[in-house]
Amino acid sequence: MSTMRAQLSLLALNLLPTLIQAYHWPSPLIDQLEGLLYEGKQEGLPDRAVDFVAQLNGCQPVEDNGESIAADWIRFAYHDMATHNIDDGTGGLDASIQLELDRDENVGGDLDRAKFDFIDFPNKYISYSDIIAMGVVLATVECGGPVVPYRGGRVDAEVAGPFGVPTPDQSIEDFIETFRKQGFNQQEMIGLVACGHTVGGVHNPDFPTLVPPGNISFEDNIVMFDSTPEFDNVIVTQYLDGTTGDLLVTGVDGNDTLSSDLRVFSSDGNITMHALASPQNFSATCGSLFERMINTVPNNVTLTDLITPLPVKVAGVQLAPGYEGNLVLNLTMRLLDNKPNRQISLHWADRNSTTCSSGACSSTPTNSTVVTTPLLTALGHPRAVKYTFSAPISATTSISSFWFEIDGEVQNNGGTGYIIEQDEVLWSRDRSASILDPVTFESGFLIVAAVRSSSSSSTERVWINTYQRTTATGVHLTSTLNLTLDNASFPSTAGYDFYSAKLLLVADLTFDLFAEIGGKVYEEELRDTHWIDFA
Ligand code: HEM
Ligand SMILES: *[C@@H]1O[C@H](CO)[C@@H](O)[C@H](O)[C@H]1NC(C)=O
Ligand SMILES: *[C@@H]1O[C@H](CO)[C@@H](O)[C@H](O)[C@H]1NC(C)=O
Ligand SMILES: *[C@@H]1O[C@H](CO)[C@@H](O)[C@H](O)[C@H]1NC(C)=O
Ligand SMILES: *[C@@H]1O[C@H](CO)[C@@H](O)[C@H](O)[C@H]1NC(C)=O
Ligand SMILES: *[C@@H]1O[C@H](CO)[C@@H](O)[C@H](O)[C@H]1NC(C)=O
Ligand SMILES: *[C@@H]1O[C@H](CO)[C@@H](O)[C@H](O)[C@H]1NC(C)=O
Ligand SMILES: *[C@@H]1O[C@H](CO)[C@@H](O)[C@H](O)[C@H]1NC(C)=O
Ligand SMILES: *[C@@H]1O[C@H](CO)[C@@H](O)[C@H](O)[C@H]1NC(C)=O
Ligand SMILES: *[C@@H]1O[C@H](CO)[C@@H](O)[C@H](O)[C@H]1NC(C)=O
Ligand SMILES: *[C@@H]1O[C@H](CO)[C@@H](O)[C@H](O)[C@H]1NC(C)=O
């Protein structure tokens, strides 16, 4: 299986040259999806932000009930995709599952729970369905399965889709027709079911006639499809050698009403199952079928290019006034290998020039951290490394763009440099704070922004737009809040005045910051309150 994985990663690497040309920073959707996919957690977020990958518990069954989180995520994605209709190009992986959980075909507390595992990650760029799809990639690789190539750009449905998820009591003719409608032929159906049922199992509350009730420590009483929690072909070999514990094969007491896996697996005389008994065939088949499963979207949705690991990944960029009369540029830069004694520096140009008039526009990393995730490791990057910069920038000359020198080689975002669009309005992340009113017990955040003092006479308005999850289907603009001059709390410095506003009774959210100055609107978008230190 590891050989196959190496081949898959070579395949992915071969695609890289074209993608490097296509990619240009900033690309908010790609940048964020890449960060979540390869680092597991959104850029710069502290401990209280949920770590997407860590939720999988290293593919180990959850201690108190034996549940496989990886299985929950894979089943969730399949049940969402299952309402695709190839005949009219509607439905597919579109997050409509959230609106369909009360249907019998979606029985299971695992689906209700999986819904909440994903809820922290969508924002105004990232759809909930992109996160469901990413869950399949992360769950599969975390459990030792193949690398499933990933694209973004899915669009969330606003309404429930048609019924159409197969249930175990149906006939093989029904299954073949259901999978045809989803876009998969009979052989692919067998593969997809075997790949899905290599993890997880059948639960007592959902199928009490198959699974006996549990005991106190295992209330849900899950009977696993095969004897290993990993993403492997044991589901196939145990089926073929007659040792399977898969209740959807064996049934109970000779009753095969719910033996859907037996009907599916044997429907071509076991030919496909015999092929899948090869670990290489199993891994490659599951990789390609899962890719097609997560890319099954309505015809009017266009997915992005493949999101491969960026060789130079810039993130967490924040320019803001420091406390010593200068500006500070914070950012991280990730490389895919951890070469020892690497010489690395950050460089920048004056705001109104392409050069550095003071001759003092460079900085070195403050520290570095090795980044190791199952997906990066599977792609041959077991020790990616992330450098943190906190560069002092002259407040008089400011900054227009930055770039890196890595062992004497310039990395400048394909020639343009990494452009800082504007320095008129900046989020002062470190002056912002979490707050708790001692009287009303209202909690929330004090948001502080810096606006150039030279623009103060023409500053018409400073405000933020907040985005939150408001409906079952997604993240929307929820409020607009004006910031007012707050020089009593925050004395002007580095040529900037500070504006503030209280955001009360909110959980963490993302926001866009704006200032209207002399009739022109400046913006710093997609800031995240997770970045604010908790008092
Ligand atoms: C004929 C088609 C299928 C039928 C009839 C079927 C039926 C079932 C049933 C009855 C369960 C037990 C659910 C519970 O206890 O709540 C189950 C679990 C599961 N199914 Fe399927 N399934 C089918 C296809 C698929 C496919 C195509 C996938 C994914 C590619 C998939 C992924 C899963 C997973 C991962 C679980 C375990 C969930 C857990 O342990 O929480 N299934 N399936
Ligand atoms: C409870 O159920 C689990 C899983 O089926 C089993 O391993 C364990 O032995 C059971 N404990 C008792 C006291 O029956
Ligand atoms: C077989 O199982 C099905 C589904 O659990 C059930 O409805 C049916 O009554 C059972 N048949 C017999 C003969 O026990
Ligand atoms: C397929 O394999 C299963 C499990 O070994 C066996 O019960 C069944 O008879 C086989 N079917 C055919 C058509 O070979
Ligand atoms: C797996 O084996 C089947 C049957 O020999 C073959 O049709 C299929 O192409 C193989 N799949 C992969 C990915 O090797
Ligand atoms: C795609 O088509 C569906 C159904 O016609 C429509 O509801 C949806 O808004 C369309 N989505 C996009 C992204 O155009
Ligand atoms: C590197 O510096 C950043 C910013 O000061 C800090 O958050 C991070 O924990 C540091 N990492 C290590 C490994 O010291
Ligand atoms: C850049 O030039 C503009 C227009 O001349 C001026 O208003 C601004 O203060 C300059 N900024 C810096 C940082 O020198
Ligand atoms: C920039 O990073 C430094 C060092 O970690 C930190 O002390 C400071 O608060 C950060 N500033 C902003 C605006 O994030
Ligand atoms: C915010 O400020 C603008 C411009 O001054 C004003 O029109 C608007 O009513 C204010 N909004 C709120 C909610 O106070
Ligand atoms: C704050 O700004 C106002 C308006 O510009 C000014 O009148 C006041 O003196 C300033 N206060 C401080 C403490 O700087």
Side-chain angles (χ1 to χ4, degrees), residues 54 60 64 81 156 164 231 234 251 282 314 336 339 354 415 433 465 514 516 518 521 529:
Q60 289 313 299
D64 57 350
M81 179 285 264
D156 294 344
F231 197 105
V234 172
F282 183 81
V314 169
L336 290 175
K339 222 166 92 192
T354 52
N465 286 343
F514 302 88
E516 187 178 346
V521 174
T529 59

Side-chain angles (χ1 to χ4, degrees), residues 330 366-370 388-390:
N330 282 358
T366 52
N367 67 23
S368 65
T369 318
V370 171
T388 304
F389 292 87
S390 193

